Amino acid sequence: MYLLEFEEISKEVIWGGNTLASLYSKPFDKNKTIGESWEICSLPNDDNIVLNGEFKGRTLSSLVDEYGVKLLGTKCKDNYFPLLIKLIDARDKLSIQVHPNEEYANKRHNKHGKNEMWYVMNTDGNAKLLIGLKENVTKDDLKKAVYNKENIEDMFNYFEIKKGDAFYIPNGCIHAILGNSVIAEIQTPSDVTYRLYDWNRVDNNGKSRELHIEDSFNVIKDIDAYSLKSNKHSKFKSSLLEINTVFSNKYFTAEEYIITDNFDSKTDGESFEIIMAVEGNGTIESNIDGNVIKLYSGKTVLIPASLGDYIIKTNNSIKFLRITL
């Protein structure tokens, strides 16, 4: 196996923009409102296709089926790719929404539950997130307001954000990205989202998007929103290398790397690795087959668990996320 890059999957949505194409070199139509670039995923209807090497043209799921532990690593006990990696261009507000846990999603949709992490890549002007109910607001208060068609917009916590901030959004947590930002999202492999409120907006045809009120209230949990921002624990720091742990849980570990010189590393067979460049430029190369992939902001590469040695090179500096199980 070798370093893998994939054809991105675009998602056109009412709240999207053209930043992913114009600033992050995604091969999307700049005249469309593209809100999401699915970088690495293997859902039934959204299965990334390999762009390079002998597996070019094959889907990620087909590689998982054929190579199993060689691709995924010994830590992965599943027979599917356990993560979904996205870039989000939120030009406008996303709906106020919530995700189900594994049990509810499986029972209701025969799909996986959803837990996700947001890493702020960039902001443009006043950028905020909505996370959780205010301390003095209960789920019953919100439910009563929704069914009475009252204004609910002041019932939530709002967080100003800047480049480099990160938040963990577990299942059951009410949340929304409120525009003017580009965000990297690392999540469990699910496309189940329940919209609770969509700001009373309509599309170009005057049609509102579907809401999922009953499902939302079935899964909403009482969660301390102020505990969800990452404190970025420092793991290592020198003049050439800085490593900060952003989040680590049973679903994934996400670390932020900043390097100013070549960085040699290797997989140990326990987990695949995902490299997403955040700032700067460089290359990632395999010492086995000489495979070289350019790294730039928003570029995502999958490193099979069995690959072994690889090196990331930069002429100046590069910041990237390193995601493992």
Side-chain angles (χ1 to χ4, degrees):
M1 302 208 78
Y2 57 96
L3 299 169
L4 296 167
E5 55 181 332
F6 296 91
E7 180 180 336
E8 301 93 334
I9 299 171
S10 65
K11 298 291 182 177
E12 187 175 8
V13 287
I14 195 171
W15 44 263
N18 61 14
T19 301
L20 298 179
S22 60
L23 295 183
Y24 291 88
S25 302
K26 300 301 176 184
F28 305 150
D29 187 339
K30 294 180 182 179
N31 296 313
K32 293 184 177 180
T33 54
I34 304 298
E36 297 184 356
S37 174
W38 290 27
E39 301 284 295
I40 301 180
C41 66
S42 63
L43 298 186
N45 296 319
D46 292 291
D47 202 353
N48 284 107
I49 296 172
V50 179
L51 279 176
N52 64 323
E54 65 175 294
F55 301 142
K56 184 176 181 180
R58 290 187 58 178
T59 61
L60 175 56
S61 64
S62 75
L63 297 184
V64 171
D65 290 342
E66 181 172 349
Y67 292 95
V69 69
K70 289 184 178 181
L71 174 59
L72 301 176
T74 57
K75 278 188 176 181
C76 184
K77 306 305 180 184
D78 304 310
N79 60 353
Y80 56 86
F81 198 78
L83 297 178
L84 196 166
I85 311 299
K86 299 178 183 178
L87 269 179
I88 297 174
D89 176 16
R91 290 302 87 200
D92 196 1
K93 299 186 290 285
L94 277 70
S95 63
I96 298 177
Q97 57 192 240
V98 64
H99 304 307
N101 62 21
E102 191 75 6
E103 181 182 3
Y104 191 90
N106 185 265
K107 183 178 180 180
R108 182 83 168 81
H109 310 283
N110 194 29
K111 293 184 176 183
H112 295 289
K114 189 172 178 181
N115 303 273
E116 62 192 26
M117 166 199 141
W118 291 336
Y119 182 95
V120 181
M121 298 273 287
N122 212 343
T123 60
D124 178 16
N126 182 28
K128 293 182 180 181
L129 303 177
L130 178 156
I131 305 176
L133 292 169
K134 286 182 177 178
E135 186 177 3
N136 62 342
V137 177
T138 67
K139 177 179 173 179
D140 286 340
D141 293 333
L142 177 63
K143 190 172 186 177
K144 180 180 178 181
V146 168
Y147 281 105
N148 287 338
K149 301 188 183 304
E150 298 171 5
N151 190 330
I152 64 172
E153 294 178 16
D154 63 349
M155 303 181 81
F156 308 99
N157 302 300
Y158 292 83
F159 295 83
E160 294 184 359
I161 55 172
K162 64 182 185 304
K163 184 187 297 186
D165 285 346
F167 293 79
Y168 184 64
I169 307 296
N171 67 75
C173 179
I174 300 170
H175 61 277
I177 303 170
L178 300 179
N180 298 323
S181 58
V182 175
I183 288 177
E185 182 173 288
I186 294 88
Q187 60 157 95
T188 49
S190 175
D191 58 357
V192 182
T193 294
Y194 300 141
R195 296 190 199 102
L196 178 65
Y197 177 71
D198 201 31
W199 314 99
N200 299 313
R201 65 183 159 193
V202 295
D203 62 20
N204 292 333
N205 297 316
K207 185 177 180 181
S208 301
R209 295 198 296 173
E210 181 183 5
L211 299 180
H212 315 94
I213 305 299
E214 182 177 355
D215 282 318
S216 293
F217 282 109
N218 284 343
V219 302
I220 289 172
K221 297 178 182 177
D222 183 15
I223 293 172
D224 177 11
Y226 289 88
S227 69
L228 300 178
K229 184 176 181 180
S230 173
N231 292 319
K232 286 192 185 178
H233 171 71
S234 178
K235 186 175 178 180
F236 180 85
K237 189 171 184 178
S238 71
S239 60
L240 301 178
L241 172 64
E242 180 178 343
I243 307 173
N244 300 305
T245 300
V246 183
F247 286 107
S248 186
N249 54 44
K250 67 179 182 179
Y251 303 110
F252 57 79
T253 293
E255 296 174 319
E256 178 189 72
Y257 279 64
I258 304 170
I259 65 172
T260 56
D261 199 358
N262 294 347
F263 171 71
D264 291 281
S265 188
K266 66 183 299 182
T267 58
D268 58 8
E270 290 190 352
S271 173
F272 61 84
E273 299 183 9
I274 294 169
I275 302 295
M276 176 183 274
V278 174
E279 292 179 5
N281 295 277
T283 60
I284 182 169
E285 305 178 14
S286 167
N287 293 336
I288 296 175
D289 57 13
N291 187 22
V292 179
I293 298 175
K294 292 181 179 180
L295 293 176
Y296 46 85
S297 186
K299 180 64 177 180
T300 308
V301 176
L302 175 60
I303 307 174
S306 61
L307 179 74
D309 296 329
Y310 67 88
I311 183 171
I312 296 177
K313 298 180 179 180
T314 180
N315 291 326
N316 188 4
S317 68
I318 188 170
K319 180 190 289 188
F320 58 89
L321 297 179
R322 186 187 195 187
I323 302 139
T324 60
L325 295 182

